[in-house]
Amino acid sequence: MNDPYTPSGPEAFDRLWAELEPLGRDPGSGGYHRHAWNGSDAEVRAWFTEAARSRGLDVRADRNGNLWAWWGDPGPGAVATGSHLDSVPDGGAFDGPLGVVSALAAVDELRRRGVRPGRPLAVTVFTEEEGGRFGVPCLGSRLTAGEISPERARGLTDAGGTTWARAMEAAGHDPDALGADPGALADLDVFVELHVEQGRALEETPHPVGVASAIWPHGRWRMDFTGRADHAGTTRLADRADPVLPFAHAVLAARVLAEQHDARATVARARVVPNGTNAIPSLVSAWLDARAADEDALEAVVSGVREAAGLAAREHGVGLEVAAESRSPLVSFAHGLRDRLAAVVASRAPGPGVPVLPTGAGHDAGVLAAHVPTAMLYVRNPTGVSHSPREWARPGDCHAGVLALADVLQDLLARPAREERG
Amino acid sequence: MNDPYTPSGPEAFDRLWAELEPLGRDPGSGGYHRHAWNGSDAEVRAWFTEAARSRGLDVRADRNGNLWAWWGDPGPGAVATGSHLDSVPDGGAFDGPLGVVSALAAVDELRRRGVRPGRPLAVTVFTEEEGGRFGVPCLGSRLTAGEISPERARGLTDAGGTTWARAMEAAGHDPDALGADPGALADLDVFVELHVEQGRALEETPHPVGVASAIWPHGRWRMDFTGRADHAGTTRLADRADPVLPFAHAVLAARVLAEQHDARATVARARVVPNGTNAIPSLVSAWLDARAADEDALEAVVSGVREAAGLAAREHGVGLEVAAESRSPLVSFAHGLRDRLAAVVASRAPGPGVPVLPTGAGHDAGVLAAHVPTAMLYVRNPTGVSHSPREWARPGDCHAGVLALADVLQDLLARPAREERG
């Protein structure tokens, strides 16, 4: 029986989006600096908690600081959907929040349709998905999945030297409780993450919503080029050990190798020490972000960059250490679940079929996929721009995403528990 | 008549050095972050004021925050000597402080020798010589010489956005008083700066002390590469406007051009915005430090870097603006004064003649040289390393520097006022 007092999913989406969008937005750039445990993060977590409670959902933070809002009692056979609320530095409004807001709006849509779930439904918010503050992406989901040790997580530091443990504690969470939560994951029958597309594949189709096929293998490598501090004006070129030079070679090599292997390789972050105009640096640290369609291509790119950087470093008398800071293997989402989602989404699609797309972006869904049957929906991004204040999706496409997610959840909730677990 | 109660110059040097060396030293790196108006700067200024007053010198800050310690009443015909106490970020102990400590020690040496100056002698400390905080080197001497406007100086900002005006005011100096001081410079008959050598030319001779011939023309250019923020994992290479790539090309071009023109060109400082591992930057700002033996070579290097950077920027759809932040023409020190210094220094030298050397490093002496007959002494640097915690000079060479400076000052003070002015 329909409930006329509950707003439709699209109506709920618009209200929730209007509440969330201003929180922590930089008035200059229009971007966001929502990073784990900072002030903007506290604001958006408080917003989520209130939005979920006002819908009668029971909100809990798990041992790793991820939020779970429950419709029905937590337990076996649960269906979960959600994303994250943190951003990259000066990031956009959609990457993460679109999935959380759509999930809450889908709950309203299900209520309006009179759905009474026979299985528990959770709306989730994972912590530090972007790694924008502590450098390791998907940290909240990795901790819960047991893919990073509590010891390593506690010791991660931000740019100001604050540890994850101290930042978490200051935000009112106990860092001693950190760790894997296999019981919570075993209770989940399925996890669905809705996300803004980070590319323009859907824009070339009539479809506002697509389904994920795979997440490219990807990772982050830190390169430390160690030179010798010296006077930039007086030191003869031959006497220098200038770490900026091999760093520049590595940047250009990454681009060439990405082209050769139809991959992505980017150096978007660097730290120069001491960073004085007339002081040859003693150290340049640079981070390589690399992704490719398969493991062999990724390995070829990373080992190529490492080799080019090493060669240039030796030429300039500079030391080089390369360390993988994170590494995510290829994720192929469960085929049966993916096909069922595609069929459900197709029922409302404006054209035949539904695009099934791979992506180069990592997601909490990619981490959970090793433990829980997992799927993703993408909402069309007209410019393809992401990780930028200019990231955007059309309101109509966002509404289509909410309805597609509600359809998918309704379908999953109506099926017998444990079915997706096979 | 000798004064047995005053220490010799070398003895005074050792005591003064021991007092100054620990102030503001980073316990980790062993380097210094003494920048205009910060806490370490206040410490070293207080130390200088006390050291000068305890010698009976009258210490005054001028309108630009430079310190002048007077032996005798300020007025026409004055002889001045000194250097600076600020450092580059994580700089060494000698660049600047060696000239200030040697000047105070030379005063003691002159007193011990019974010298009674017939002309006023000033020991000077110029502010923000390195430009380590506000980006413009020799800012204190440039202001006094009228080579930078008070308006521009007041508006210079540090990395945290604090203006020179506000920082100066917080340190107890009136920023409204900033400006040229032609009267003070007209009163000076001569300025002598002692400095640690920033190279290894003296190390290849038996001489602990040399005399300057010239300062290479040099400057700092800021290059702003403006790209488009985007997701590093998902944006196709062809769709990117990644400013890191033309920045890397500029770094490598600077090195090649410096080699071609027997010059120095260095990119040692960069700012990447937003500097997130998986976010293609919207902006890279980089600073080019370039120096050459003559103006043509310098121009060839800078225009070559500008051209290479512009070409690479266009190729990658990136915007580029280049602005000169400072520019210093060739300084040839007054030949007559230079030859007299060389003759005085030779009288105590361990071998025939005295090395007369050009340098690629800028100095307050280079700024003052356009207004006052100016000379420089260099003290041998066994490694040539400068702008680094590893910067060093042998104690015996520092003592030789003090005695050479005392000899030079004694010679100058004994001559009739205005002689150097011709």
Side-chain angles (χ1 to χ4, degrees):
Chain A
M1 189 175 59
N2 285 7
D3 170 4
Y5 300 104
T6 299
S8 74
E11 286 166 334
F13 179 89
D14 289 346
R15 289 185 210 165
L16 289 162
W17 193 258
E19 291 167 11
L20 177 59
E21 201 180 17
L23 302 183
R25 184 164 51 189
D26 183 311
S29 71
Y32 298 85
H33 295 267
R34 296 168 178 161
H35 308 307
W37 315 124
N38 75 4
S40 297
D41 186 55
E43 277 188 82
V44 298
R45 293 167 73 91
W47 166 83
F48 174 78
T49 302
E50 174 54 30
R53 286 200 176 134
S54 73
R55 282 165 172 75
L57 309 184
D58 180 28
V59 183
R60 306 169 179 201
D62 70 15
R63 55 196 300 185
N64 302 311
N66 307 307
L67 298 176
W68 299 74
W70 288 98
W71 185 4
D73 293 331
V79 171
T81 183
S83 190
H84 62 94
L85 292 174
D86 67 306
S87 72
V88 296
D90 207 35
F94 291 81
D95 180 349
L98 186 67
V100 175
V101 170
S102 297
L104 291 171
V107 166
D108 283 2
E109 174 68 20
L110 293 176
R111 285 238 174 83
R112 201 189 54 82
R113 293 180 190 173
V115 171
R116 297 181 170 275
R119 303 158 66 175
L121 175 71
V123 176
T124 61
V125 176
F126 288 102
T127 296
E128 183 79 344
E129 193 271 347
E130 300 288 5
R133 181 169 177 192
F134 292 92
V136 176
C138 299
L139 189 51
S141 56
R142 277 184 213 268
L143 277 161
T144 295
E147 293 191 359
I148 183 173
S149 74
E151 294 69 32
R152 183 171 163 221
R154 275 191 285 265
L156 291 171
T157 53
D158 67 9
T162 302
T163 60
W164 174 266
R166 186 170 294 269
M168 186 180 193
E169 195 164 23
H173 297 265
D174 176 9
D176 290 338
L178 281 181
D181 204 343
L185 294 184
D187 277 350
L188 297 186
D189 255 25
V190 56
F191 177 72
V192 179
E193 179 166 3
L194 178 148
H195 204 280
V196 67
E197 192 192 353
Q198 296 171 296
R200 300 183 65 247
L202 289 175
E203 185 63 15
E204 291 163 12
T205 75
H207 292 277
V209 180
V211 176
S213 61
I215 298 178
W216 284 12
H218 61 278
R220 297 175 173 192
W221 288 262
R222 176 179 169 148
M223 302 179 283
D224 285 330
F225 297 93
T226 310
R228 188 175 56 246
D230 229 325
H231 191 300
T234 58
T235 312
R236 292 184 302 184
L237 300 181
D239 292 343
R240 298 178 175 209
D242 181 349
V244 183
L245 298 166
F247 158 69
H249 279 289
V251 166
L252 299 178
R255 171 70 174 214
V256 169
L257 285 153
E259 281 167 5
Q260 285 170 352
H261 295 278
D262 205 8
R264 316 263 187 272
T266 314
V267 180
R269 180 176 166 209
R271 195 168 75 97
V272 182
V273 179
N275 212 27
T277 308
N278 57 355
I280 295 169
S282 54
L283 173 69
V284 175
S285 296
W287 283 259
L288 171 70
D289 177 300
R291 325 199 181 207
D294 59 59
E295 300 284 352
D296 286 351
L298 179 60
E299 175 55 27
V301 169
V302 174
S303 63
V305 172
R306 192 191 289 254
E307 195 175 323
L311 193 67
R314 277 193 299 281
E315 236 171 59
H316 288 285
V318 167
L320 172 64
E321 285 190 32
V322 181
E325 288 203 340
S326 71
R327 182 74 177 75
S328 303
L330 175 71
V331 173
S332 290
F333 290 113
H335 286 206
L337 181 62
R338 181 190 82 190
D339 293 346
R340 211 159 79 216
L341 256 70
V344 171
V345 173
S347 66
R348 204 187 278 272
V354 165
V356 178
L357 310 164
T359 180
H363 297 289
D364 295 309
V367 173
L368 297 188
H371 306 266
V372 179
T374 295
M376 290 190 74
L377 297 176
Y378 294 125
V379 170
R380 182 161 54 188
N381 180 336
T383 65
V385 169
S386 184
H387 285 193
S388 158
R390 294 166 52 251
E391 181 182 81
W392 189 67
R394 295 183 191 93
D397 289 357
C398 295
H399 295 166
V402 171
L403 295 177
L405 180 61
D407 292 347
V408 162
L409 296 174
Q410 186 170 0
D411 174 72
L412 290 167
L413 290 168
R415 292 183 181 260
R418 316 317 285 174
E419 184 183 86
E420 293 78 12
R421 288 274 181 184
Chain B
M1 187 175 61
N2 285 7
D3 170 2
Y5 300 104
T6 299
S8 73
E11 286 166 335
F13 179 90
D14 289 345
R15 289 184 210 168
L16 289 162
W17 194 258
E19 290 167 12
L20 178 59
E21 201 181 18
L23 302 184
R25 184 164 50 188
D26 183 313
S29 70
Y32 298 86
H33 295 268
R34 296 168 177 161
H35 309 308
W37 316 123
N38 74 5
S40 297
D41 186 55
E43 276 188 82
V44 296
R45 292 166 74 90
W47 166 82
F48 174 78
T49 302
E50 174 54 29
R53 288 202 175 130
S54 73
R55 282 165 174 73
L57 310 183
D58 179 27
V59 183
R60 307 170 181 201
D62 69 15
R63 53 195 303 187
N64 302 312
N66 306 309
L67 298 176
W68 298 75
W70 287 98
W71 185 6
D73 293 331
V79 172
T81 183
S83 188
H84 63 94
L85 292 174
D86 68 306
S87 71
V88 296
D90 207 37
F94 292 80
D95 178 350
L98 185 68
V100 174
V101 171
S102 296
L104 292 172
V107 166
D108 283 3
E109 174 68 20
L110 293 176
R111 285 238 174 82
R112 203 189 52 84
R113 293 181 192 172
V115 172
R116 297 181 170 273
R119 305 158 67 177
L121 174 72
V123 177
T124 62
V125 176
F126 289 102
T127 297
E128 183 78 345
E129 194 268 348
E130 299 288 4
R133 179 169 177 192
F134 292 93
V136 176
C138 300
L139 189 52
S141 56
R142 276 183 212 268
L143 276 162
T144 294
E147 293 192 0
I148 183 172
S149 73
E151 293 71 29
R152 184 171 162 222
R154 276 192 283 266
L156 291 173
T157 53
D158 67 8
T162 301
T163 62
W164 174 266
R166 185 171 294 268
M168 186 181 194
E169 197 165 20
H173 298 266
D174 177 9
D176 291 338
L178 281 182
D181 204 341
L185 294 184
D187 277 352
L188 298 187
D189 257 24
V190 59
F191 176 72
V192 179
E193 179 166 3
L194 178 147
H195 203 278
V196 67
E197 192 193 355
Q198 298 170 295
R200 302 184 62 249
L202 289 175
E203 184 64 12
E204 291 163 12
T205 77
H207 293 276
V209 180
V211 175
S213 61
I215 297 179
W216 283 11
H218 60 280
R220 296 174 174 193
W221 287 262
R222 176 180 168 147
M223 303 180 280
D224 285 330
F225 298 93
T226 311
R228 189 174 56 245
D230 231 325
H231 191 299
T234 59
T235 312
R236 292 185 302 186
L237 300 181
D239 292 342
R240 299 179 175 208
D242 181 349
V244 183
L245 298 166
F247 157 69
H249 280 288
V251 166
L252 298 179
R255 170 70 174 214
V256 169
L257 285 152
E259 280 166 5
Q260 284 170 354
H261 296 276
D262 207 6
R264 316 263 188 272
T266 314
V267 180
R269 179 177 167 209
R271 195 168 72 97
V272 181
V273 178
N275 213 28
T277 308
N278 56 356
I280 296 169
S282 54
L283 173 70
V284 175
S285 296
W287 283 260
L288 171 69
D289 178 300
R291 330 205 177 200
D294 60 59
E295 301 283 352
D296 287 350
L298 180 59
E299 175 56 27
V301 168
V302 174
S303 63
V305 172
R306 194 191 288 255
E307 196 176 321
L311 192 68
R314 278 194 299 282
E315 236 171 60
H316 288 285
V318 167
L320 172 64
E321 285 188 33
V322 181
E325 288 203 341
S326 72
R327 183 73 178 75
S328 303
L330 176 71
V331 173
S332 289
F333 290 111
H335 287 206
L337 180 62
R338 183 191 77 191
D339 294 346
R340 212 160 78 219
L341 256 69
V344 171
V345 173
S347 67
R348 204 187 278 273
V354 164
V356 178
L357 309 164
T359 178
H363 296 290
D364 295 309
V367 173
L368 297 187
H371 308 266
V372 179
T374 297
M376 290 190 73
L377 298 176
Y378 295 124
V379 171
R380 181 161 55 186
N381 180 337
T383 65
V385 168
S386 184
H387 284 191
S388 157
R390 294 168 50 251
E391 183 182 81
W392 188 67
R394 296 185 189 90
D397 290 357
C398 296
H399 296 166
V402 170
L403 294 177
L405 180 61
D407 293 347
V408 162
L409 295 174
Q410 185 169 2
D411 174 73
L412 290 166
L413 290 167
R415 293 181 180 260
R418 316 318 282 172
E419 184 182 86
E420 293 79 10
R421 288 273 182 184

